[in-house]
């Protein structure tokens, strides 16, 4: 069993006001999936993009919106989202504090070949 505090994992900048922490993945012995904690500063936006792999998201803190083909849906604590492979999606923090969520994906190098 692995036990770790996500705050002990270095945060990597992935955009203006956006960080990602790769909490669990292959280096920790997870053979199939990577768990990341992503944090958006107030007002931070990650524009629509897409990947050949799915995302499972669980919102921990804050307020925001996720944008998809059908429009925007609210992101708030307790909300779970599933984003299918190749579906355009983006995120925006609409609240006064950080927007923090868990995002689980298949290991990117494996999912890019299944595409």
């Amino acid at each position: 069993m692995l036990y770790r505090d996500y705050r002990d994992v270095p945060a990597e900048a992935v955009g203006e006001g956006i960080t990602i922490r790769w909490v669990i993945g292959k280096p920790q012995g997870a053979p199939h999936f990577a768990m990341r904690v992503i944090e958006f500063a107030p007002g931070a936006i990650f524009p629509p993009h897409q990947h050949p792999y799915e995302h499972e998201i669980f919102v921990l803190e804050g307020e925001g919106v996720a944008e998809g083909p059908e429009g925007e849906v609210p992101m708030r604590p307790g909300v779970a989202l599933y984003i299918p492979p190749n579906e355009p999606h983006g995120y925006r923090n609409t609240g006064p504090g950080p927007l923090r969520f868990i995002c689980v994906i298949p290991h990117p190098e494996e999912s890019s070949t299944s595409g």
Side-chain angles (χ1 to χ4, degrees):
M1 177 185 302
L2 170 71
Y3 173 87
R4 74 190 316 193
D5 188 316
Y6 83 93
R7 294 167 292 198
D8 293 336
V9 176
E12 301 172 20
V14 293
E16 190 172 332
I18 305 169
T19 61
I20 186 169
R21 297 173 197 256
W22 292 82
V23 180
I24 298 173
K26 280 193 175 185
Q28 293 74 42
H32 303 291
F33 296 96
M35 178 188 291
R36 301 106 44 94
V37 174
I38 300 173
E39 186 170 304
F40 283 60
I45 298 170
F46 201 100
H49 59 286
Q50 62 191 61
H51 314 278
Y53 48 84
E54 67 193 78
H55 293 46
E56 286 86 15
I57 292 174
F58 185 78
V59 182
L60 299 169
E61 177 183 355
E63 301 169 27
V65 294
E67 179 184 348
E70 291 83 34
E72 295 182 346
V73 295
M75 296 177 77
R76 60 183 179 277
V79 167
L81 299 166
Y82 170 68
I83 300 169
N86 299 309
E87 181 172 283
H89 58 285
Y91 312 100
R92 184 172 76 249
N93 183 341
T94 59
L99 171 64
R100 183 176 299 120
F101 55 90
I102 294 169
C103 181
V104 177
I105 60 170
H107 290 303
E109 67 276 5
E110 292 175 5
S111 57
S112 64
T113 60
S114 64

